[in-house]
Amino acid sequence: MPKEILINAKAQEMRVAVLKDGQLEDFFIELSRHNALLGNIYKGKIDSIVSSINAAFVNIGVGKNGILYLSEMTNPLLEAELSRPVGFLGKILRKPAKEHKKISPEFQVGQEILVQVVKESFGNKGPRLTTHISLPGRFLVLMPIDKQIGISRRIEEPAERHRLRSILQGLSFSREVGFIVRTASLGKGKRELLRDAQFLYRMWLRIKNMANKTQAPTLLYQEYDLAWRVIRDTFTEDVDSLIVDSKTEFVKIHRFVRTLIGSHLTRKIKLYKETTPLFESRNIEKEIQRIYERKINLKSGAYIVIEPTEGLTVVDVNSGKFKSRLSPEDTAFQVNMEAAVEAARQLRFRDVGGIIVIDFIDMHKE
């Protein structure tokens, strides 16, 4: 199936759409990068410790203090499997999930600490932080604190897993940091993996060096903007074209891909010059607008209603104008099947997580 990445770049907004066979498969939007924190690494200072919630509030210099839950020492930025947990700078030890973790006595108000943002601020809540730093690259994720090598679960062939692990174990600095092998590494050569590993390791050395020279709170590393993140993670050989409607971004992306991914993919990058807006030319503007609507109509005449609340998200399925000569049971089944697919798409587009309840039409047969 043809696959395209479309990038609509404006002064204060960036939109990226991934199309497969002409249909919207993924959509990302980012307003001004000035306020984006996700993925950033800071040298912070512990402002307060609240024993009742087993958390520390860390000043990272962005207005609201970040919250660091000491019992949650995992990193949701990764797509990977993690093996044996290790400590953070020798001070924090991750225990099995079943144990109730107490705040380390070595954590004190005023202490400086290296943290990464794993969740943006929301409402009155500050950003969620972790001490398990990760630096994602094209094929690898560098874990400077968790010194082990993990392989993406999507790489299932034992021989391939062994090959990839052997390549990384041969690195001169493999005992100093850990790596997660991403799915994109499947079938890649040693040269490509080593180049990615060395790039990430040099980046970590710069961050560590800056941390030693500066006082908290300070920003040590800022994650790439939306376009670069999507390209890093999704611009692979199976993509037929990457189309961008900004000449400035076109030049940046071309240079980024040539330097960090591979010059062989630059031929797929195209500058859109037509007068019709890029997203309208692919007939996806209406599809994108549906992401912000409460009611989503289905092709059959049925519809779903998405209701976000503070504690959970509810999806209600309704038959609407669906007409069929089928029995009520079969009708309900057909509507539910169509609604299940669209609900999944909408939840992904809207980046909805947490508790999700879908109220399908009642059926008698399981």
Side-chain angles (χ1 to χ4, degrees):
M1 294 183 180
K3 188 173 182 179
E4 291 181 308
I5 298 175
L6 310 181
I7 300 178
N8 171 225
K10 298 179 181 178
Q12 297 297 323
E13 181 184 80
M14 177 82 70
R15 299 191 301 168
V16 180
V18 180
L19 275 60
K20 180 175 282 190
D21 200 25
Q23 298 296 313
L24 186 65
E25 185 181 60
D26 257 320
F27 175 72
F28 311 90
I29 184 170
E30 182 178 80
L31 301 179
S32 173
R33 271 296 296 171
H34 179 71
N35 297 318
L37 304 177
L38 187 64
N40 290 356
I41 299 174
Y42 295 87
K43 185 177 184 180
K45 181 179 290 186
I46 296 179
D47 189 64
S48 62
I49 296 176
V50 183
S51 300
S52 60
I53 60 173
N54 199 30
F57 288 89
V58 183
N59 178 8
I60 58 174
V62 297
K64 294 179 181 178
N65 285 346
I67 183 168
L68 174 64
Y69 288 106
L70 304 181
S71 60
E72 298 179 4
M73 303 308 293
T74 58
N75 195 330
L77 292 179
L78 302 183
E79 62 170 6
E81 60 195 17
L82 295 177
S83 55
R84 183 179 67 258
V86 296
F88 165 65
L89 300 181
K91 293 186 177 181
I92 307 172
L93 289 178
R94 238 192 318 174
K95 296 182 180 180
K98 293 183 179 180
E99 294 186 30
H100 181 68
K101 181 178 171 64
K102 298 295 185 181
I103 294 178
S104 168
E106 296 186 49
F107 269 109
Q108 299 177 1
V109 173
Q111 178 184 345
E112 295 185 338
I113 187 171
L114 203 64
V115 292
Q116 185 170 35
V117 177
V118 294
K119 188 175 182 180
E120 294 278 6
S121 302
F122 180 76
N124 295 322
K125 297 179 181 178
R128 178 81 67 84
L129 307 175
T130 182
T131 53
H132 285 254
I133 308 300
S134 66
L135 293 172
R138 174 69 168 175
F139 305 115
L140 307 168
V141 177
L142 183 139
M143 304 285 289
I145 310 305
D146 298 299
K147 299 176 182 178
Q148 65 255 324
I149 296 175
I151 311 290
S152 169
R153 291 190 181 98
R154 295 183 182 181
I155 301 177
E156 299 177 349
E157 179 61 40
E160 178 66 2
R161 294 174 67 88
H162 176 74
R163 182 187 74 89
L164 293 169
R165 189 181 298 274
S166 298
I167 291 174
L168 293 180
Q169 287 175 337
L171 292 171
S172 60
F173 49 83
S174 62
R175 294 186 179 182
E176 300 176 29
V177 295
F179 284 100
I180 298 297
V181 180
R182 307 184 73 173
T183 307
S185 298
L186 182 64
K188 297 301 177 183
K190 181 177 180 179
R191 181 179 178 182
E192 295 169 295
L193 297 177
L194 293 183
R195 183 175 64 176
D196 206 33
Q198 289 167 352
F199 170 78
L200 294 173
Y201 182 65
R202 287 194 298 267
M203 184 186 297
W204 166 242
L205 292 180
R206 288 196 298 269
I207 293 171
K208 190 166 65 169
N209 184 54
M210 189 183 303
N212 291 331
K213 293 181 178 180
T214 58
Q215 291 185 336
T218 186
L219 174 66
L220 301 176
Y221 165 81
Q222 186 170 25
E223 173 65 301
Y224 294 124
D225 66 20
L226 175 63
W228 290 23
R229 294 197 308 272
V230 173
I231 291 169
R232 178 189 65 198
D233 297 338
T234 64
F235 190 32
T236 54
E237 281 74 8
D238 65 332
V239 174
D240 294 277
S241 60
L242 186 154
I243 305 173
V244 57
D245 61 4
S246 163
K247 187 173 182 179
T248 301
E249 290 298 324
F250 171 82
V251 174
K252 289 181 181 179
I253 291 169
H254 201 279
R255 187 184 301 120
F256 175 76
V257 171
R258 186 179 65 250
T259 304
L260 298 180
I261 298 179
S263 57
H264 65 288
L265 288 177
T266 56
R267 59 183 174 80
K268 297 185 178 183
I269 306 172
K270 301 175 183 178
L271 177 63
Y272 184 76
K273 301 178 181 179
E274 304 299 325
T275 55
T276 305
L278 176 59
F279 282 15
E280 288 186 17
S281 71
R282 294 300 192 275
N283 299 315
I284 59 170
E285 199 66 70
K286 291 183 179 179
E287 183 74 18
I288 293 171
Q289 290 302 316
R290 296 174 71 198
I291 298 173
Y292 305 99
E293 296 176 358
R294 171 176 170 270
K295 179 180 177 181
I296 305 297
N297 292 312
L298 307 179
K299 292 181 179 180
S300 66
Y303 65 93
I304 61 175
V305 177
I306 302 176
E307 294 278 11
T309 70
E310 188 170 346
L312 52 83
T313 300
V314 179
V315 181
D316 188 38
V317 179
N318 298 277
S319 58
K321 298 179 181 179
F322 181 86
K323 294 181 180 180
S324 173
R325 295 181 180 179
L326 300 173
S327 66
E329 178 74 5
D330 290 336
T331 296
F333 177 69
Q334 292 296 330
V335 172
N336 285 339
M337 289 292 286
E338 184 182 21
V341 173
E342 186 60 31
R345 292 179 71 242
Q346 291 296 325
L347 293 171
R348 186 173 74 248
F349 292 159
R350 298 169 193 231
D351 196 24
V352 174
I355 300 173
I356 300 168
V357 178
I358 302 181
D359 184 16
F360 289 106
I361 299 174
D362 290 343
M363 297 187 300
H364 295 294
K365 297 178 182 178
E366 289 189 13

